[in-house]
Amino acid sequence: MEVQLIRTEANYQEALREIELLFNAAPNTPDYDRLDVLTTLVEAYEKTHFPIELPDPIKAIQYYMDTREWSRRDLEPCLGSRARVSEILSRKRSLTLEMIRRLNQELGIPAEILIQPYESAQTSA
């Protein structure tokens, strides 16, 4: 099995074509092993050349609320009072570490999203 690092767009496209051909390879076969190696190389190339930025923490909270059909009131156990929820969502107050922990546990929002710096009235003032 001769496999090369993916260094160019042409290498990348070639690897994608080969992955498509090997996609239904049976487990524990040389083709399956080649598929596994190629997908690992493609993932590494994509991570370097097509990075996906993490979403804004407040937009992530709003997305998670929308997908679960949560209201602002549903956030109160995570963020505190109704006023605190309003302050957070309107960016007048930043998330605290305890809020981040609760949002991670209750909504499943990854902590790495919530701990990012984001624009708020506190940071822009």
Side-chain angles (χ1 to χ4, degrees):
M1 171 192 337
E2 186 178 322
V3 178
Q4 299 176 18
L5 289 176
I6 300 173
R7 293 196 167 112
T8 66
E9 179 68 22
N11 295 147
Y12 173 67
Q13 292 301 326
E14 183 180 327
L16 290 177
R17 283 190 292 278
E18 189 166 350
I19 286 171
E20 190 173 336
L21 294 173
L22 297 170
F23 196 72
N24 292 318
N28 300 317
T29 65
D31 282 348
Y32 185 83
D33 293 343
R34 184 169 182 81
L35 174 64
D36 190 32
V37 170
L38 285 171
T39 56
T40 301
L41 291 171
V42 164
E43 286 173 2
Y45 181 86
E46 289 175 344
K47 186 175 184 180
T48 301
H49 293 85
F50 309 112
I52 298 173
E53 292 185 27
L54 294 174
D56 172 84
I58 302 304
K59 288 181 181 177
I61 293 168
Q62 291 167 334
Y63 170 79
Y64 276 76
M65 286 175 62
D66 289 345
T67 59
R68 288 164 179 77
E69 297 182 1
W70 274 30
S71 68
R72 287 175 171 233
R73 174 164 273 160
D74 295 320
L75 278 182
E76 289 177 20
C78 297
L79 301 179
S81 68
R82 179 181 296 177
R84 185 61 41 95
V85 170
S86 178
E87 290 171 341
I88 296 295
L89 295 180
S90 65
R91 300 174 184 266
K92 291 180 182 172
R93 181 180 294 272
S94 296
L95 292 167
T96 66
L97 183 57
E98 189 57 37
M99 289 174 189
I100 290 169
R101 285 185 181 132
R102 286 191 214 124
L103 288 166
N104 174 257
Q105 291 170 351
E106 295 297 320
L107 284 173
I109 302 174
E112 68 180 326
I113 291 173
L114 296 169
I115 63 172
Q116 295 180 99
Y118 62 93
E119 190 67 33
S120 73
Q122 286 183 331
T123 59
S124 63

